[in-house]
């Protein structure tokens, strides 16, 4: 196969080893003479997968047993609903949200169905070109919700505020890409399909002590406590995405963990941003200080060069470079598995335009 340089924003590139091992598991899992796809999720072989998939997240994030790890269906979008259902008080519920893009706005829209929502900061009026920083979140809120990386606009929170309430973060597009003090968060969620596995499963990391306090009668399937009680097997989990996510996380752990991934991600982003800043034909959509290490969203300033540029990157074997349909332009997603060489190919195309 002539492998492309895959800059797709998600589902996206994963380590080649993950593709190979997942393919093998579909044919014959652990040498048991059965496919991963045809065994019970209650079989000892799959229970071992789930146990390790939960344990490795805590090791990588350096979290203690105050936290539980869940693999759930429904995408990150379901977490827009599960978070307020589980955390917003049934009486006079009130939450603070930071509006940094379409996904944050989606979370806000759902939360409003459960109680009162204050948007404590928003960059919507400026096309989400920066991350608001000037706000305070007091104890009157049940929780604060933010989005660590804004996949469409290419902005990223470099620091997180100190808040006087629970801290909830959608890390869908930069999970495991950089070192953070993960214990500053009470609940983290991430659709797997951007940096930790295939589509079909969502990671939730939650501090146990925050649950069971909303006063709501939560349907079991939406109740984190029920999923915890059943060790992430309340219902049939998405077995293949969980297994492929485990392989991706094992690959990360065996290659220096998050710290080493961060160093590689910084090198890739530096290479591309330096070219964007040097080349008068390109500019990013967002303010410099908020530039994402994961999604580099940029535009061409001379539209007459569009056809030449598009032909050049396609000829160079690049795939998935088109920007999100809502803002156009280009987006180079530099997820953990993307090699530096792929960024160099793109930079060479930009240099020669
Ligand atoms: C930051 C962020 N949050 C949420 C979502 C929605 O994820 P899902 O499609 O898994 O519901 C996305 C999808 O791109 C995203 O980038």
């Amino acid at each position: 196969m002539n492998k492309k340089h895959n800059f797709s924003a998600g589902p996206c590139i994963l380590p080649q080893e993950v593709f190979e091992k997942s393919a093998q598991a579909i044919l014959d899992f652990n040498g048991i003479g059965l496919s991963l796809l045809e065994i019970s999720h209650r079989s000892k072989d799959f229970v071992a997968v789930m146990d390790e998939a939960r344990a490795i997240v805590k090791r990588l994030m350096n979290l203690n047993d105050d936290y539980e790890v869940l693999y759930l269906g429904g995408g990150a979008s379901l977490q827009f609903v599960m978070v307020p259902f589980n955390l917003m008080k049934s009486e006079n519920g009130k939450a603070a949200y930071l509006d940094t893009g379409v996904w944050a706005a989606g979370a806000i829209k759902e939360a409003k169905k459960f109680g009162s929502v204050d948007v404590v900061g928003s960059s919507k009026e400026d096309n989400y070109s920066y991350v608001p920083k000037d706000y305070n979140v007091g104890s009157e809120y049940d929780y604060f919700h933010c989005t660590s990386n804004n996949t469409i606009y290419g902005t990223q929170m470099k620091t997180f505020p100190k808040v006087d309430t629970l801290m909830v973060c959608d890390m869908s597009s930069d999970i495991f890409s950089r070192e953070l003090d993960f214990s500053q968060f009470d609940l983290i969620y991430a659709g797997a399909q951007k940096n930790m596995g295939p589509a079909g499963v969502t990671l939730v990391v939650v501090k146990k002590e925050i649950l069971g306090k909303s006063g709501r009668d939560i349907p079991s399937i939406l109740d984190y406590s029920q999923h915890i009680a059943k060790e992430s097997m309340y219902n049939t989990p998405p077995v293949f995405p969980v297994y492929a996510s485990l392989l991706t996380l094992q690959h990360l752990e065996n290659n220096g963990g998050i710290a080493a991934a961060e160093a590689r991600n910084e090198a890739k982003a530096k290479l591309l941003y330096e070219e964007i800043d040097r080349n008068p034909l390109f500019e990013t959509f967002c303010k410099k200080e908020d530039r994402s290490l994961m999604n580099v969203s940029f535009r061409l300033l001379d539209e007459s060069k569009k056809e030449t540029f598009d032909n050049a990157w396609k000829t160079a074997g690049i795939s998935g470079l088109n920007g999100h349909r809502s803002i156009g332009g280009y987006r180079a997603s530099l997820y953990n598995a993307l090699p530096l060489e792929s960024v160099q190919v793109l930079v060479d195309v930009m240099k020669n335009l």
Side-chain angles (χ1 to χ4, degrees):
M1 181 169 78
N2 197 2
K3 189 85 183 152
K4 293 261 170 80
H5 299 288
N6 185 4
F7 288 88
S8 171
C12 60
I13 186 167
L14 294 173
Q16 187 61 24
E17 181 188 281
V18 171
F19 295 136
E20 285 161 13
K21 287 190 174 169
S22 318
Q24 180 54 44
I26 287 181
L27 297 173
D28 183 5
F29 183 50
N30 284 352
I32 59 174
L34 293 164
S35 166
L36 169 67
L37 304 184
E38 63 180 332
I39 59 171
S40 164
H41 59 293
R42 310 254 175 231
S43 65
K44 102 176 168 352
D45 288 270
F46 188 76
V47 169
V49 168
M50 184 59 100
D51 287 348
E52 181 55 10
R54 296 177 75 211
I56 196 170
V57 168
K58 285 214 257 184
R59 283 204 300 280
L60 286 164
M61 290 186 167
N62 205 10
L63 290 174
N64 63 23
D65 289 340
D66 292 347
Y67 289 83
E68 289 281 354
V69 176
L70 300 171
Y71 286 84
L72 305 179
S77 301
L78 183 61
Q79 297 311 308
F80 298 170
V81 175
M82 283 179 75
V83 165
F85 223 142
N86 283 264
L87 302 184
M88 209 191 280
K89 300 267 188 317
S90 61
E91 285 196 20
N92 302 320
K94 194 170 170 183
Y97 275 70
L98 191 62
D99 178 20
T100 50
V102 160
W103 300 114
I108 291 167
K109 181 178 165 213
E110 298 308 320
K112 282 183 174 165
K113 294 170 186 168
F114 293 85
S116 130
V117 172
D118 282 353
V119 176
V120 292
S122 174
S123 48
K124 186 173 182 195
E125 297 306 312
D126 291 298
N127 299 319
Y128 293 123
S129 58
Y130 67 96
V131 177
K133 293 167 196 80
D134 197 13
Y135 56 89
N136 289 311
V137 180
S139 57
E140 69 273 29
Y141 294 107
D142 297 333
Y143 64 89
F144 167 68
H145 178 284
C146 59
T147 311
S148 56
N149 186 76
N150 299 286
T151 329
I152 298 175
Y153 319 89
T155 63
Q156 189 171 34
M157 294 178 77
K158 302 292 167 186
T159 57
F160 292 88
K162 291 252 170 304
V163 295
D164 254 343
T165 183
L166 304 180
M167 180 85 172
V168 178
C169 189
D170 174 359
M171 291 195 190
S172 292
S173 53
D174 66 352
I175 189 101
F176 299 118
S177 69
R178 57 175 168 163
E179 283 202 294
L180 289 175
D181 172 10
F182 291 98
S183 71
Q184 71 189 294
F185 303 99
D186 297 284
L187 192 151
I188 296 167
Y189 64 89
Q193 68 273 16
K194 294 178 198 298
N195 218 14
M196 65 167 282
V201 72
T202 302
L203 176 72
V204 174
V205 181
V206 57
K207 206 173 192 175
K208 280 177 281 191
E209 67 176 30
I210 73 170
L211 299 174
K213 297 181 177 163
S214 74
R216 293 181 192 272
D217 186 13
I218 309 169
S220 305
I221 187 85
L222 300 179
D223 185 348
Y224 293 122
S225 301
Q226 296 276 349
H227 288 282
I228 291 171
K230 296 287 160 46
E231 300 179 331
S232 210
M233 298 252 208
Y234 168 76
N235 64 327
T236 316
V239 290
F240 181 74
V242 171
Y243 181 63
S245 296
L246 170 60
L247 293 176
T248 310
L249 297 180
Q250 284 173 334
H251 182 87
L252 177 63
E253 193 170 56
N254 294 337
N255 285 278
I258 298 179
E262 179 174 19
R264 291 189 292 269
N265 291 333
E266 277 175 352
K268 289 181 280 179
K270 183 167 182 286
L271 182 61
L272 184 51
Y273 283 124
E274 277 182 359
E275 176 56 19
I276 291 171
D277 290 340
R278 185 206 64 81
N279 194 326
L281 287 172
F282 297 101
E283 71 173 13
T284 55
F285 281 99
C286 71
K287 296 217 172 103
K288 249 184 184 176
E289 70 210 41
D290 296 326
R291 284 174 169 179
S292 167
L293 288 188
M294 288 283 94
N295 308 100
V296 179
S297 294
F298 61 100
R299 65 182 143 226
L300 189 56
L301 292 168
D302 179 352
E303 274 298 301
S304 72
K305 302 256 187 197
K306 182 172 169 21
E307 202 180 326
T308 317
F309 180 53
D310 288 351
N311 285 337
W313 59 259
K314 284 174 193 161
T315 308
I318 287 172
S319 166
L321 198 65
N322 286 323
H324 189 267
R325 60 193 177 282
S326 60
I327 62 168
Y330 301 93
R331 173 171 51 172
S333 297
L334 314 179
Y335 296 125
N336 284 357
L338 186 86
L340 183 69
E341 299 77 68
S342 292
V343 184
Q344 189 61 58
V345 170
L346 172 59
V347 166
D348 289 345
V349 169
M350 293 165 81
K351 276 200 165 87
N352 290 328
L353 190 62

